[in-house]
Amino acid sequence: MEVTTSHPTFQCLQKHKLPYGETFRMWLKKPESLYISFNFSRYSGDSSSVDEWYNEDLSRDLSCGRISRSGFCIKYEEWLRKERWTALDTLQNKSVGCWCENEKSCCAYTVIKKLYREKKLLDRMYTEDESTIGFT
């Protein structure tokens, strides 16, 4: 049986954006759910939980107004490239959730999806023959 994989999808975790009758904690318990935002231990109800995709220093700078949202996205992308690049494959088939209502302006969604696509392209370039990726 062939296992199919897909790129991560975005899930806004605002109450009115979750599927009808579902709470954040119900969503989080699904194996395909991955929360990327602040206060993970508080929202999950598990004080020992850790969000490996969260950068506390950058988020603090954003919330204190020391950097803009676009500046945050740039710095978050740099951090992901440095700290989480090898873990991007773990996002396959995941529903990535955060509190942003518009996925197009959600820095975590935008950056992770961009990097995920770049990594997939690089993997193809180095693992497949040239004719497969368009060189003839």
Side-chain angles (χ1 to χ4, degrees), residues 16 36 40 85 116 130:
H16 65 282
I36 298 179
F40 181 58
W85 182 261
Y116 182 81
E130 291 179 347

Side-chain angles (χ1 to χ4, degrees), residues 50-117:
V50 176
D51 179 1
E52 297 173 356
W53 296 93
Y54 175 66
N55 184 306
E56 185 175 358
D57 294 331
L58 286 177
S59 294
R60 187 179 314 108
D61 287 348
L62 177 64
S63 64
C64 292
R66 290 191 283 261
I67 57 175
S68 65
R69 178 165 293 281
S70 61
F72 175 86
C73 288
I74 292 166
K75 291 194 176 291
Y76 187 70
E77 180 177 350
E78 291 170 359
W79 177 79
L80 282 173
R81 286 181 187 279
K82 183 178 175 186
E83 302 293 332
R84 302 297 297 152
W85 182 261
T86 57
L88 286 175
D89 286 336
T90 64
L91 297 178
Q92 291 184 50
N93 301 317
K94 294 291 186 182
S95 173
V96 179
C98 86
W99 300 107
C100 294
E101 289 196 52
N102 182 350
E103 67 184 61
K104 302 304 180 205
S105 67
C106 174
C107 49
Y109 168 85
T110 303
V111 173
I112 288 172
K113 189 166 186 173
K114 178 182 179 205
L115 290 176
Y116 182 81
R117 286 183 176 160

Side-chain angles (χ1 to χ4, degrees), residues 114-127:
K114 178 182 179 205
L115 290 176
Y116 182 81
R117 286 183 176 160
E118 284 181 20
K119 183 167 179 12
K120 283 304 188 192
L121 177 60
L122 285 173
D123 288 349
R124 283 181 47 213
M125 288 174 66
Y126 291 107
T127 60

